[in-house]
Amino acid sequence: MPILEFMRCLRNSDQDGRVLCVKKVLPSGGYLKYLLLNPGALFKDFVNEPRAVIVAGGTMQPNSEFRFQLFGAAGSAQSRIMTFSCDHIIPPDHVLPLVLTRGPSNKELDFSWANRSNLLNELANFLSNINQVVSGGVVCSHPS
C-alpha cells in the first residue's frame, strides 16, 4: 500500500509538493518520500463544499499560518473564516508540568523512532502508576 499512496501523491501538481530521494549505502536503505508543500490544494473540496468546517484542538496559536494554509490556499474567502478561542479551563494550581527522563524501572525514556516500541510498556506502567496517585485525572502530552 505505501507504493500505491506514493503513486497517488504524484498526481498532485508539481507546485504543490516535492519528491525527496534519500540514497543510502545499503540497497534496501534508500527511499522516496513525497513532501506536500501546499495542503490547501488537497483541502479545496473539503473546505469549499461543506457549509461549515470545525477545527478543534488544544494549543493552536498562533493560527494565522494554519488558517491561510488550510483555508486561504484552498480558495476560501477570509470572510467565511471565524475563530473562537478561550482561556485555559484548568486553574494554574492544578497544573504540574513534569519532564521525565526515566521510567518506573529506571529505563531511559528515549522515544526516538528506532527505540519507541521498546518503551511503550514503560510508558504504560508510568501512566498506570501516576493515575493511582492522582485522583482528578491526568493529561499526558507527547511530541509527535
Side-chain angles (χ1 to χ4, degrees), residues 8-118:
R8 283 187 185 134
C9 290
L10 294 179
R11 296 185 309 182
N12 295 330
S13 167
D14 64 341
Q15 295 175 353
D16 294 336
R18 296 289 181 264
V19 174
L20 178 65
C21 179
V22 177
K23 196 173 175 183
K24 294 193 176 178
V25 177
L26 299 173
S28 63
Y31 60 90
L32 295 172
K33 182 177 185 178
Y34 180 79
L35 301 173
L36 180 63
L37 301 177
N38 179 14
L42 295 178
F43 281 95
K44 188 172 186 171
D45 292 339
F46 177 76
V47 168
N48 292 327
E49 286 183 17
R51 180 175 171 203
V53 175
I54 298 173
V55 180
T59 307
M60 296 178 66
Q61 295 290 336
N63 64 18
S64 57
E65 183 177 346
F66 169 77
R67 282 193 327 246
F68 172 76
Q69 294 238 344
L70 181 59
F71 298 104
S76 184
Q78 292 294 315
S79 61
R80 291 188 64 207
I81 301 172
M82 293 182 287
T83 59
F84 171 78
S85 182
C86 61
D87 292 335
H88 290 278
I89 59 172
I90 300 172
D93 62 329
H94 285 70
V95 177
L96 176 63
L98 297 172
V99 176
L100 303 173
T101 59
R102 299 203 171 272
S105 65
N106 208 28
K107 283 186 183 176
E108 183 181 1
L109 297 176
D110 172 16
F111 286 99
S112 62
W113 181 260
N115 199 36
R116 74 189 189 290
S117 61
N118 298 331

Side-chain angles (χ1 to χ4, degrees), residues 126-139:
F126 167 74
L127 291 174
S128 177
N129 290 348
I130 198 85
N131 278 306
Q132 291 176 17
V133 177
V134 177
S135 60
V138 173
V139 174

